[in-house]
Amino acid sequence: MILTVTLNAALDVTYQVPEIDWTGVNRVRSVHRRAGGKGVNVARVLHGLGREVLVTGLAGGPVGRAIEADLEAAGLPRALVPIAAESRTTLAVAGGGGGAALFNEPGPEVSEAELREFGRVYASLLERAEAVVISGSLPRGVPAGTYAELAALAAEHGVPAIVDADGAALRHAPVGRPAIVKPNAEELARAVPPHGHPVEGAEHLRARGAESVVVSLGEEGLYAVTPEGTFRARMPYRVEGNPTGAGDSLVAGLALGLVEGAAWPERLRTAAALGAAAVAAPVAGDFDRDVYARTHPLIEIT
Ligand SMILES: O=P(O)(O)OC[C@@]1(O)O[C@H](CO)[C@@H](O)[C@@H]1O
């Protein structure tokens, strides 16, 4: 199975609001609540593609129970480690013209003992994993080097890790020698010294230990800097919709290619098409199957 790690799991609330008035009352057209956090979204997409997945991470309080209940309802196998503090809620306000504003709470305070317990559970789950995806923000109390440690532990078990992180967690991640690090262009720019081109930034992360680096560029596609060379994927057209979760869908495609041993061009085509298909779906964690099938063959890889 593919293991996904979401230390800062969330209850994702999505409001559809035709037009936002920042000084007045906004009437919400529809409300959608579901378990989220980046690793949960990755697992949803992989599950939708028929892959065996297991969701792990931390969950606490009534919001944690709502997350568990939603994963159960979605048929997603889980092994969440309980914590005393309450898990967070995130709010995405999606406007009529596409795009969405995100309001992400920082998340619960996690104790050292809880993190140690997570490490124990994680090590035992690695025994059954073909690959692990570690993604999203860190809740409070979790050191910035944690993703690097989780990736290193996976490598000790012979399990390739994909890390999708931002800030200090991204800067530390390469030390754990992950198979793939996946920042977007802004996250990369924040994490490495000033560089002229995303490929140079990616090379910096590779020099620090990451085997491959995939830089997502939204509707511009992606760059992948790998031991087999540097690739660029270009999208054939612009897909309208809610980009929240598109990066997670792209990561699901990378994980799929990794476990299937697909060649990089094919891996990137799948990843880029899944990212586009997620934009066409209204809620993070979903993807539009028609858009996926239509876009996949049209993605240009150079
Ligand atoms: O605050 P983080 O952990 O960076 O991101 C959390 C989050 O905004 O990312 C997903 C979209 O990628 C949402 O479903 C989710 O809750």
Side-chain angles (χ1 to χ4, degrees):
M1 54 79 178
I2 300 175
L3 183 64
T4 74
V5 175
T6 316
L7 292 184
N8 211 358
L11 188 65
D12 280 349
V13 180
T14 305
Y15 282 178
Q16 293 287 344
V17 184
E19 239 171 77
I20 300 169
D21 174 357
W22 287 102
T23 56
V25 174
N26 290 282
R27 302 287 170 192
V28 175
R29 185 179 284 164
S30 70
V31 182
H32 202 287
R33 287 187 180 80
R34 61 154 42 168
K38 296 189 189 308
V40 170
N41 294 341
V42 173
R44 268 187 211 280
V45 173
L46 288 167
H47 183 69
L49 291 165
R51 271 277 155 181
E52 197 188 332
V53 289
L54 182 62
V55 173
T56 189
L58 306 168
V63 172
R65 284 196 289 281
I67 292 170
E68 294 255 11
D70 188 66
L71 291 175
E72 173 75 31
L76 283 168
R78 64 189 192 281
L80 292 171
V81 172
I83 53 172
E86 174 139 22
S87 295
R88 64 180 175 150
T89 297
T90 73
L91 177 64
V93 182
L102 262 60
F103 300 86
N104 290 6
E105 294 178 10
E109 184 76 41
V110 177
S111 72
E112 269 176 44
E114 288 167 338
L115 194 57
R116 258 199 315 278
E117 174 58 11
F118 174 78
R120 199 189 57 73
V121 169
Y122 173 75
S124 73
L125 297 175
L126 282 175
E127 305 287 342
R128 296 190 280 131
E130 293 170 272
V132 59
V133 177
I134 305 165
S135 40
S137 59
L138 293 170
R140 285 175 288 181
V142 176
T146 302
Y147 285 171
E149 284 173 24
L150 296 180
L153 196 59
E156 276 171 35
H157 283 74
V159 179
I162 302 179
V163 179
D164 178 5
D166 192 5
L170 171 59
R171 276 196 299 280
H172 283 80
V175 177
R177 305 207 158 269
I180 304 174
V181 174
K182 202 294 295 170
N184 64 35
E186 295 80 44
E187 290 163 344
L188 181 69
R190 283 194 288 270
V192 300
H195 51 273
H197 194 275
V199 169
E200 284 170 38
E203 290 290 10
H204 185 85
L205 293 181
R206 288 193 71 224
R208 298 190 47 226
E211 189 179 322
S212 296
V213 177
V214 176
V215 186
S216 55
L217 309 168
E219 60 195 50
E220 304 293 318
L222 54 80
Y223 283 106
V225 184
T226 81
E228 279 120 74
T230 296
F231 300 90
R232 169 85 203 256
R234 284 189 176 79
M235 311 306 291
Y237 39 68
R238 184 171 193 274
V239 176
E240 295 289 337
N242 177 6
T244 316
D248 306 331
S249 196
L250 189 154
V251 168
L254 294 176
L256 198 64
L258 185 63
V259 299
E260 288 178 350
W264 271 102
E266 188 48 31
R267 236 186 246 202
L268 298 174
R269 197 169 279 123
T270 300
L274 278 173
V279 175
V283 181
D286 286 349
F287 67 98
D288 184 310
R289 285 172 191 276
D290 289 342
V291 173
Y292 176 53
R294 206 170 347 115
T295 311
H296 189 277
L298 301 178
I299 288 170
E300 189 199 343
I301 309 283
T302 49

